[in-house]
Amino acid sequence: MGSNSDVSPAEGRRLRARRREVLRFLGGFGLTVPTAALVSAIDGALKSASAQAAAGQPVPRLGVYLPNWPDQVELWRQLSREWQAIGIELDLQQGTLDTFVSQIVAEQKLPHMGSMSWGGAPDRLDPDYFLSEMFHSRRTARGGLNFGFYRNEAFDKLADAQRSEMDPAKRQQLVREAQTHIVEDSPSIVLFHRDIIHAYNKRRFSGMKPILGNGIGFPYMPLSYMDITPLTPRKFIRLTSIYDIASLNPFLTPEIYNSTTLRLIYATFTTRDEKADVMPWALERWNIVNPTTVDITLRGNTKFHDGRPATAEDVKFTFDFINRHRFPALSRIYETVESAEITGDLTVRLKLRMPSAPFTANVLGYAFLAPKHIWERVPSNLATPADWPNDKPVGSGPWKFVEWRKAEYLQFAANPDFFMKPKLDGMVVLPVPQMESMVGMLERGDSDMLAWNLDMTLGARISRNPELEVVRTPTHGQHEVRLNLGMAPTNNKAFRRALQHVTDRKKLLDIIFSGAGVVSNGAPITPALDNWANPAISAPEVSVDRARAVLRDAGFTWNPQGRLVMPAA
Amino acid sequence: MAFWLYAARRAAHTAVTLVLLLVFMYVLFRLVPGDPTTIMLGTGELPFEAQQRLRELWGLDRPQWQQFVTYAGNLLTGDLGMSFYFRRPVIEIVWPMLLNTLVLMTPVVVISIVLGVVIGTWLGWRRGERIEEIGAILALIPRALPVFWIGIVLLALFAYELRWFPIGGMRQAFFFPETWYQELPFFDVARHLVLPVAAGVLTSMADPLMIQRTALIEVKHEDFMTHARARGLTERAQRRLARRTAFLPVLTYSAIMVGFAFGGQVLLEVVFNWPGIGRLMVNSVSQRDYPVAQATFFLMAAAVVTLNLLVDLAYGWLDPRIRQ
Amino acid sequence: MLALDDVSIIYAARSGPVQAVSGVTLHLPVGGSLGLVGESGCGKSTLALAALSLLPPEARLSSGAVRLEGQDLATLPEAKLRRLRWTRMAYVPQSAQNALVPVHSLRRQFRDTAAAHGMRSAAADERAAALFQRVELDPAILDRFPHELSGGMRQRAMIALALLFGPSLLVADEPTTGLDVIVQRQVIDLLRDLRTEDGLALLFISHDIGVVAELCSHVAVLYAGKVMESGATDRVFSLPNHPYTMGLQRAFPDIRHPERSIVSIAGHPPRLSAPPQGCPFAPRCPFAQPLCHNTVPSLVAGPDGRAVACHFAADAEALRDRARDPALWDAAA
């Protein structure tokens, strides 16, 4: 590679350098352009799908955004067929969850409609979540979950009122009334609440407690593990889960699986009992003094896993710590609790910034008791204590941390000092990224419980095995189709109501999940939550005639090809 | 001396390539919509205000160029940054997964190359015979099948039906040896290795095999092979000679194979639940965990580029004809 | 020593069988020397390989036998044949460049050859050094790789390698091709010395009749896989009986007759996949008669140990006269 004889070495170097620069530029260009093109193509597709329907014109193909999961794909295969009955056609766009989130939630680019399934996280048991977070007009801002732009002042008022109503009976009334608005306005087609299906080895263990929204295997509600009893000499149970945790720091992660798993170690102040009602956990009791003052009392003789006793000092420290560092994952705690004040060895008075109806469930049920003697010593050079690795978590919960091997296993030992002593000696959680392997491990006896949501086909296969037991539990999680009220024709209430009549929820549940679940009554709160569900509401009648009548009454017509035509202006 | 100059120049080129690669990857990952906090927002677990606070804490609200300067500066001091998802230094996340992947991929690559060369030589040697045709087809069949399918078949057969091997994972949590051989160190990892390595070898072996076979068929017709026969070398010695001379193309290919091994085999790792870097790579991309994604991709690219360099340099040693 | 009896060789080519050699009979006595001459493609190299029983898989001996010291090579098992190779018969191929293993040093090649016949490395090294001196090469060169040597050095190294076990037969296939004149001379001198001093029997293949005349006591002229003429070298070349020999002779400068102009025999050797009906040389022969095109002449032995395959062998003297005119060869085509 000697330089050319008639070019001086310096000249040659300069030439080569320039050539390299050009190559570098071309390389960068080559990488950047296709990516940018891809991004803008997705963008363009979403925009073109948002073409508005003009008055008196046939309804254009409606844009639908769906996550590329098998159940969602099947859902739209059915809906595109059934909705033809009223003369509309759909333009489906699939995407991964992360594109869904970044396009629809963060960028607010919902086409005419989009579908989503919402998991049954414990905080969503409180009606506030599926009402306020999903449909309050405040949540139409970027990043809010009201990405269909539903705005109804009367509903907003009810949603706000139930949130601060501390009287349960009055709150029930408000919640039930709020739901009637959703049903009437139809900003969403709530489809069904798919059952959680878990399985375990009944020759080896018994005593699993199914809890609404948790099944027997999820870590959301620690009570479901407490009575698991070994039937063989082996006294630790092996669970499989799709996910692994990402961190051992309970202040860090907002992700539901990770945070609830860590709360097996760090006892929350309250939890949910078998009926999914709020019960004291680290607390012995609480007392709502007035809407913004709550007294809480720690259980006596509570010890952290390192043997140090837990006191009111630790409780106050926990709330102060969260308030001082404003951990994003714990935002609902620092946004609610203003201060904590020690009023006795085990008692603390909490001052709230505003009345909060979901307080005992979602604040006391999410906040956990953190040992002051450990967290006050977290190195101060970190941007936030949430970045501390916390390699040896010490809590006061029913399970003690033993070992975590990333992507291999997470091991717990029973905490005999917990007020409700586990009947097991320990638990091992094995992350298995493939459902087939999880089933195989359960069948072979390599695991004792399949603690991830099965489908009915696999469930049926497992239940044929005499050693295994399949458990179906209802949940408040849901599948829904969100309609965009910011554009035609989905901004037309009659159109939305017509869709409700041509959507056969029962049939969809049967086809997609073999009927394992609860059909929605049209409101975002599952009928299984009888405390909050409105018994007066029932699912819209499935009838093409009704749908067409609703449309006709609103001025819609059909062209000779059978295509739906917008009302004249 | 000329060799060292050449080596230094090639090394410099390699270094420049790698630096450019880093920059491109930085840009590339940031072109994907969303950031590490978006996904938390979307599943409804993090309110919007909290997400914004998280972005501030993690420095994601700063202008891109500032973020890049910080990243580049950290790189210069050997700091690959902090994972957004795990909130730990990238190196702590990547290193154990890389080791796991190497535990899996080292036998896969070594066995694939050794078997590929041995069988490829054997087939090439028997060029034109029926057995060669059958052998070549047999070797190509698993290559045409997806690795996860082979994995599933192996699992169904040897793990579900015969129960000779575990279903997946790298070791059994709480393995209690029952017999003397089970007490041997690595026994547990070894039995977990058998099926994924078999699946990996079945799919990766065909390339070195076919390359070696083709090269061998060419070499076989060289004059020196006739001469070797004339010299009365045994058939084995002749074949060894042919293998040795036909090895260079396989060597080049091996460099790439070994390089990509550093990226793991995602499908293999998923089917066999192997806690390796391939899965980490895929997850880090969908979680927008840029630092981890960049580090894993960079690691793989660096391995490919560096091994290519080494092979280029080793060529001179293996083939004296190009030593000058 | 080496005897080829009525040897025919057929190549299985894609387009059909090719008769590369037909009915060739040759005898090389102990310590004797036999030259095979002819244009390229006439079957010389195939014959050389057949003599060593090294025919490639696609070629087969369709008739006849190759005997080395009375043993029919075709009937020997591969293992025995292998032991015979290089110990009894060695081979110097056309191009040392390609025939030496490119990735091994010369020493390694000596050692590997030695090992194949049970000789230890140390003994092989010693012998190699001695042989290198014999071929006037510095034994230090043993540690070099083939590509590091000049053509002449390589060819001499090749010859040294051939002498490793002191074989009684050396088959040399155009060993001087591609070498410059001075180097050619060195190699020829070396081969002549070996022959006279070591009593090596030499089967020497060349298209250069001058070199053959210098090295070999006997010669066989091959054309299209057949012997056209054979006999004592000086007799054959001074008084050729076959028109092809006459042409060949005129195609090379003759040191004794530098004034003669060089001719080339017009036309090409026939395609062996479709040989002509009569004498294979007839299409190019300036003296061809209708008889020649129809009937194959047989090789007829003469009184002086010579043999010739020509219908008009009896008129050889007259033909020799006519062959002196260069114009004749050009016109034949």
Side-chain angles (χ1 to χ4, degrees):
Chain A
M1 268 237 311
S3 63
N4 224 325
S5 57
D6 50 16
V7 176
S8 77
E11 178 84 349
R13 260 199 306 278
R14 210 176 51 75
L15 275 175
R16 273 200 300 277
R18 164 132 7 120
R19 196 164 50 214
R20 209 173 299 137
E21 238 163 69
V22 169
L23 280 176
R24 191 183 308 177
F25 172 75
L26 286 178
F29 198 67
L31 287 174
T32 314
V33 167
T35 322
L38 186 74
V39 171
S40 58
I42 295 173
D43 224 51
L46 287 175
K47 273 201 193 98
S48 74
S50 312
Q52 300 252 358
Q57 293 298 308
V59 172
R61 289 169 78 90
L62 302 179
V64 178
Y65 198 94
L66 61 144
N68 59 350
W69 306 328
D71 53 333
Q72 298 280 352
V73 174
E74 184 58 39
L75 169 71
W76 286 102
R77 202 196 335 258
Q78 296 301 325
L79 287 182
S80 351
R81 200 176 304 145
E82 289 182 10
W83 288 2
Q84 276 173 8
I86 53 168
I88 54 173
E89 281 179 34
L90 305 177
D91 182 16
L92 306 181
Q93 297 158 45
Q94 295 182 31
T96 55
L97 175 66
D98 41 291
T99 41
F100 182 94
V101 170
S102 51
Q103 295 292 314
I104 309 292
V105 183
E107 300 289 327
Q108 302 256 297
K109 284 180 184 161
L110 182 71
H112 291 104
M113 58 190 80
S115 64
M116 193 60 210
S117 61
W118 304 97
D123 55 314
R124 298 173 189 175
L125 274 169
D126 189 278
D128 185 54
Y129 187 84
F130 284 123
L131 293 177
S132 302
E133 290 296 325
M134 299 276 177
F135 298 110
H136 197 291
S137 61
R138 199 170 42 233
R139 288 299 178 202
T140 54
R142 276 162 60 107
L145 294 182
N146 189 356
F147 45 78
F149 310 106
Y150 174 60
R151 289 187 180 88
N152 179 335
E153 267 182 55
F155 171 82
D156 285 356
K157 274 197 188 122
L158 287 166
D160 287 337
Q162 65 78 26
R163 177 176 263 195
S164 49
E165 179 53 66
M166 302 300 267
D167 179 64
K170 284 184 190 158
R171 187 175 184 216
Q172 188 186 54
Q173 208 48 48
L174 294 167
V175 166
R176 287 181 173 172
E177 202 187 331
Q179 291 173 67
T180 59
H181 285 283
I182 302 289
V183 171
E184 167 64 23
D185 295 339
S186 289
S188 159
I189 306 172
V190 184
L191 298 167
F192 44 72
H193 310 271
R194 168 204 182 183
D195 280 352
I196 296 168
I197 306 176
H198 289 161
Y200 70 100
N201 187 316
K202 62 182 168 195
R203 296 267 163 92
R204 294 186 184 152
F205 294 93
S206 68
M208 287 75 181
K209 274 203 197 88
I211 303 179
L212 179 81
N214 184 77
I216 55 169
F218 284 137
Y220 307 159
M221 296 175 200
L223 197 73
S224 66
Y225 296 151
M226 297 309 292
D227 284 343
I228 298 179
T229 311
L231 303 176
T232 64
R234 179 156 57 76
K235 288 185 162 32
F236 66 86
I237 192 168
R238 296 170 300 192
L239 321 179
T240 52
S241 148
I242 287 261
Y243 289 153
D244 188 20
I245 59 169
S247 165
L248 291 171
N249 189 321
F251 293 101
L252 171 64
T253 171
E255 194 271 314
I256 178 71
Y257 180 78
N258 198 153
S259 60
T260 52
T261 299
L262 292 182
R263 279 156 179 74
L264 298 173
I265 303 168
Y266 292 92
T268 50
F269 293 107
T270 64
T271 191
R272 296 274 180 171
D273 66 14
E274 282 145 279
K275 291 187 190 120
D277 290 333
V278 182
M279 70 176 266
W281 195 238
L283 296 184
E284 187 158 306
R285 63 181 175 273
W286 68 83
N287 178 34
I288 298 172
V289 180
N290 64 50
T292 55
T293 309
V294 179
D295 281 343
I296 57 175
T297 307
L298 205 59
R299 283 179 199 279
N301 292 326
T302 300
K303 277 189 197 147
F304 287 111
H305 299 155
D306 58 1
R308 302 271 290 258
T311 66
E313 284 276 344
D314 296 292
V315 178
K316 178 177 161 52
F317 172 82
T318 300
F319 285 102
D320 289 351
F321 197 62
I322 293 170
N323 269 339
R324 175 154 25 107
H325 293 289
R326 299 167 61 79
F327 301 107
L330 302 173
S331 63
R332 80 167 74 106
I333 297 166
Y334 66 72
E335 279 167 5
T336 314
V337 179
E338 187 174 23
S339 65
E341 205 183 306
I342 296 174
T343 51
D345 284 353
L346 296 171
T347 52
V348 169
R349 169 160 290 190
L350 299 176
K351 279 284 189 198
L352 311 190
R353 294 179 204 274
M354 65 226 146
S356 168
F359 182 76
T360 50
N362 285 359
V363 175
L364 292 181
Y366 197 61
F368 51 88
L369 185 60
K372 182 185 178 197
H373 62 277
I374 289 176
W375 289 94
E376 69 185 357
R377 293 211 192 109
V378 168
S380 54
N381 58 353
L382 294 168
T384 157
D387 283 353
W388 193 50
N390 194 27
D391 283 323
K392 293 260 169 261
V394 171
S396 65
W399 305 96
K400 295 181 183 178
F401 173 83
V402 178
E403 193 189 9
W404 177 38
R405 261 182 196 272
K406 203 174 284 136
E408 289 194 57
Y409 60 83
L410 173 64
Q411 188 192 353
F412 300 102
N415 174 13
D417 295 333
F418 194 68
F419 84 97
M420 191 186 278
K421 188 174 172 290
K423 297 197 165 70
L424 293 167
D425 282 356
M427 274 201 304
V428 183
V429 185
L430 307 164
V432 178
Q434 256 222 127
M435 184 51 85
E436 289 291 335
S437 309
M438 267 201 258
V439 172
M441 288 174 74
L442 185 71
E443 287 175 336
R444 269 177 48 132
D446 293 345
S447 78
D448 308 310
M449 195 197 303
L450 197 161
W452 204 260
N453 221 349
L454 281 161
D455 63 44
M456 272 308 282
T457 322
L458 286 171
R461 179 176 127 196
I462 289 171
S463 56
R464 281 196 293 275
N465 187 322
E467 293 192 2
L468 306 179
E469 178 80 16
V470 172
V471 180
R472 266 169 63 177
T473 319
T475 175
H476 54 294
Q478 55 182 260
H479 280 64
E480 65 151 337
V481 176
R482 191 70 66 86
L483 305 171
N484 188 343
L485 275 64
M487 63 200 292
T490 35
N491 59 358
N492 184 309
K493 196 203 270 188
F495 182 79
R496 298 196 301 271
R497 291 198 59 85
L499 290 182
Q500 301 274 6
H501 286 296
V502 282
T503 304
D504 189 342
R505 297 170 161 81
K506 170 91 175 51
K507 188 174 158 198
L508 291 171
L509 181 64
D510 284 347
I511 289 172
I512 303 170
F513 293 115
S514 312
V518 174
V519 173
S520 166
N521 59 5
I525 292 181
T526 173
L529 269 178
D530 35 65
N531 217 10
W532 304 115
N534 187 339
I537 297 175
S538 59
E541 181 198 354
V542 182
S543 159
V544 175
D545 292 343
R546 275 288 300 276
R548 293 178 79 100
V550 166
L551 288 168
R552 208 176 299 120
D553 291 351
F556 283 90
T557 53
W558 286 269
N559 70 10
Q561 288 79 40
R563 192 93 182 244
L564 186 66
V565 177
M566 293 293 289
Chain B
M1 203 52 217
F3 172 78
W4 290 114
L5 266 176
Y6 169 71
R9 200 164 51 209
R10 281 299 320 272
H13 280 214
T14 306
V16 171
T17 312
L18 290 178
V19 169
L20 292 182
L21 207 72
L22 269 176
V23 177
F24 293 155
M25 274 192 316
Y26 187 93
V27 174
L28 198 68
F29 282 118
R30 267 135 194 103
L31 285 174
V32 185
D35 74 23
T37 63
T38 318
I39 198 83
M40 304 178 187
L41 170 79
T43 47
E45 284 154 6
L46 198 65
F48 186 62
E49 297 74 20
Q51 185 218 7
Q52 294 309 312
R53 162 122 179 91
L54 203 56
R55 286 168 54 87
E56 276 165 41
L57 271 175
W58 290 353
L60 290 164
D61 57 332
R62 295 185 302 152
Q64 276 302 340
W65 68 269
Q66 280 186 19
Q67 293 186 45
F68 179 76
V69 168
T70 312
Y71 176 73
N74 287 342
L75 263 191
L76 286 181
T77 60
D79 179 1
L80 288 169
M82 185 99 158
S83 160
F84 289 113
Y85 183 71
F86 297 101
R87 286 320 281 171
R88 294 224 177 186
V90 167
I91 192 83
E92 278 181 33
I93 304 298
V94 171
W95 182 242
M97 295 296 139
L98 177 64
L99 285 185
N100 291 348
T101 282
L102 291 182
V103 167
L104 172 65
M105 292 312 285
T106 306
V108 168
V109 169
V110 169
I111 296 175
S112 294
I113 293 174
V114 169
L115 275 186
V117 165
V118 168
I119 300 176
T121 303
W122 192 80
L123 289 180
W125 195 255
R126 292 200 152 36
R127 171 67 168 164
E129 295 177 26
R130 163 97 331 149
I131 194 146
E132 183 248 357
E133 287 168 27
I134 298 172
I137 293 170
L138 282 183
L140 281 174
I141 288 174
R143 188 184 180 284
L145 299 170
V147 67
F148 65 84
W149 190 84
I150 294 181
I152 288 169
V153 169
L154 288 180
L155 278 175
L157 215 65
F158 296 104
Y160 289 95
E161 284 303 318
L162 298 169
R163 304 207 170 189
W164 291 351
F165 300 105
I167 257 173
M170 185 166 153
R171 65 198 121 208
Q172 186 178 326
F174 315 103
F175 174 62
F176 302 111
E178 284 163 9
T179 51
W180 65 271
Y181 63 85
Q182 294 187 347
E183 281 172 33
L184 294 175
F186 313 122
F187 169 80
D188 190 40
V189 172
R191 73 195 180 114
H192 280 85
L193 263 175
V194 175
L195 292 184
V197 166
V201 166
L202 277 174
T203 41
S204 332
M205 189 181 73
D207 281 336
L209 187 151
M210 294 315 276
I211 293 171
Q212 175 75 10
R213 172 176 157 276
T214 311
L216 195 106
I217 289 167
E218 267 168 38
V219 164
K220 234 180 113 180
H221 290 117
E222 297 268 3
D223 287 351
F224 65 81
M225 289 308 299
T226 312
H227 193 248
R229 211 169 139 222
R231 283 189 278 145
L233 297 197
T234 58
E235 181 146 339
R236 248 186 77 211
Q238 289 177 48
R239 206 157 50 207
R240 199 167 54 214
L241 188 59
R243 193 166 64 213
R244 167 68 176 80
T245 6
F247 182 62
L248 286 181
V250 174
L251 186 79
T252 311
Y253 178 78
S254 308
I256 297 167
M257 202 165 149
V258 172
F260 278 106
F262 275 77
Q265 270 204 23
V266 183
L267 293 176
L268 202 60
E269 290 179 7
V270 169
V271 172
F272 291 99
N273 189 20
W274 196 267
I277 204 163
R279 270 161 60 192
L280 180 70
M281 195 184 267
V282 171
N283 290 342
S284 61
V285 172
S286 64
Q287 285 147 355
R288 308 284 189 274
D289 194 354
Y290 310 132
V292 173
Q294 276 159 222
T296 50
F297 276 94
F298 180 72
L299 188 74
M300 186 167 77
V304 172
V305 174
T306 312
L307 280 156
N308 258 319
L309 169 71
L310 290 182
V311 163
D312 274 3
L313 299 180
Y315 248 56
W317 173 66
L318 285 161
D319 191 343
R321 280 172 295 188
I322 19 184
R323 196 166 291 179
Q324 275 89 1
Chain C
M1 175 74 223
L2 177 72
L4 278 70
D5 275 334
D6 191 30
V7 167
S8 297
I9 297 163
I10 294 180
Y11 273 86
R14 214 167 286 244
S15 50
V18 174
Q19 178 99 32
V21 172
S22 21
V24 170
T25 301
L26 296 169
H27 288 272
L28 175 62
V30 176
S33 56
L34 174 65
L36 289 183
V37 294
E39 289 166 284
S40 46
C42 69
K44 296 173 307 211
S45 293
T46 305
L47 263 181
L49 290 177
L52 297 159
S53 193
L54 280 178
L55 287 174
E58 61 271 22
R60 97 195 135 79
L61 202 63
S62 61
S63 76
V66 179
R67 289 195 184 79
L68 183 72
E69 293 167 340
Q71 281 176 304
D72 185 348
L73 294 183
T75 61
L76 284 181
E78 185 61 30
K80 267 196 176 159
L81 202 55
R82 185 181 75 72
R83 282 194 288 274
L84 219 57
R85 288 189 182 127
W86 227 250
T87 52
R88 308 295 303 139
M89 51 186 182
Y91 173 49
V92 177
Q94 238 173 56
S95 158
Q97 163 93 55
N98 299 329
L100 286 166
V101 179
V103 296
H104 286 164
S105 68
L106 293 172
R107 185 181 302 283
R108 174 81 189 270
Q109 308 197 32
F110 270 91
R111 285 180 177 181
D112 282 354
T113 316
H117 300 281
M119 186 195 264
R120 287 170 182 284
S121 293
D125 284 354
E126 208 174 296
R127 178 94 178 117
L131 286 170
F132 262 42
Q133 267 155 0
R134 176 81 179 78
V135 299
E136 293 171 17
L137 282 176
D138 182 353
I141 288 172
L142 271 170
D143 290 312
R144 301 260 194 100
F145 287 88
H147 70 277
E148 296 174 310
L149 309 181
S150 70
M153 286 158 98
R154 266 200 294 266
Q155 201 56 274
R156 274 181 287 165
M158 200 83 216
I159 293 169
L161 182 56
L163 301 176
L164 184 58
F165 295 104
S168 42
L169 168 67
L170 185 67
V171 177
D173 185 0
E174 309 238 18
T176 58
T177 310
L179 301 180
D180 66 57
V181 183
I182 298 168
V183 179
Q184 255 186 37
R185 170 57 39 205
Q186 289 173 341
V187 171
I188 291 163
D189 288 348
L190 174 61
L191 286 173
R192 195 182 44 222
D193 291 352
L194 287 172
R195 197 166 92 62
T196 52
E197 291 167 23
D198 298 12
L200 203 62
L202 180 67
L203 180 64
F204 187 84
I205 292 152
S206 181
H207 61 276
D208 184 338
I209 58 173
V211 177
V212 173
E214 200 178 338
L215 269 176
C216 304
S217 63
H218 286 74
V219 69
V221 179
L222 285 176
Y223 186 77
K226 288 185 170 137
V227 176
M228 296 289 106
E229 181 168 16
S230 65
T233 315
D234 49 351
R235 303 273 302 156
V236 170
F237 288 149
S238 58
L239 295 169
N241 283 341
H242 195 284
Y244 179 59
T245 321
M246 297 171 199
L248 264 189
Q249 198 187 23
R250 299 298 318 270
F252 284 90
D254 189 332
I255 304 163
R256 288 163 297 182
H257 304 282
E259 77 287 354
R260 284 191 193 161
S261 60
I262 297 170
V263 303
S264 62
I265 308 171
H268 302 280
R271 290 217 320 272
L272 292 172
S273 51
Q277 233 187 348
C279 173
F281 188 59
R284 299 170 77 190
C285 183
F287 313 118
Q289 301 295 319
L291 171 70
C292 301
H293 291 288
N294 300 325
T295 316
V296 182
S298 50
L299 186 69
V300 180
D304 49 356
R306 294 180 60 178
V308 63
C310 179
H311 293 298
F312 300 99
D315 306 331
E317 188 145 10
L319 298 182
R320 280 199 290 273
D321 275 347
R322 290 173 58 191
R324 285 201 187 94
D325 176 13
L328 176 84
W329 295 98
D330 292 334

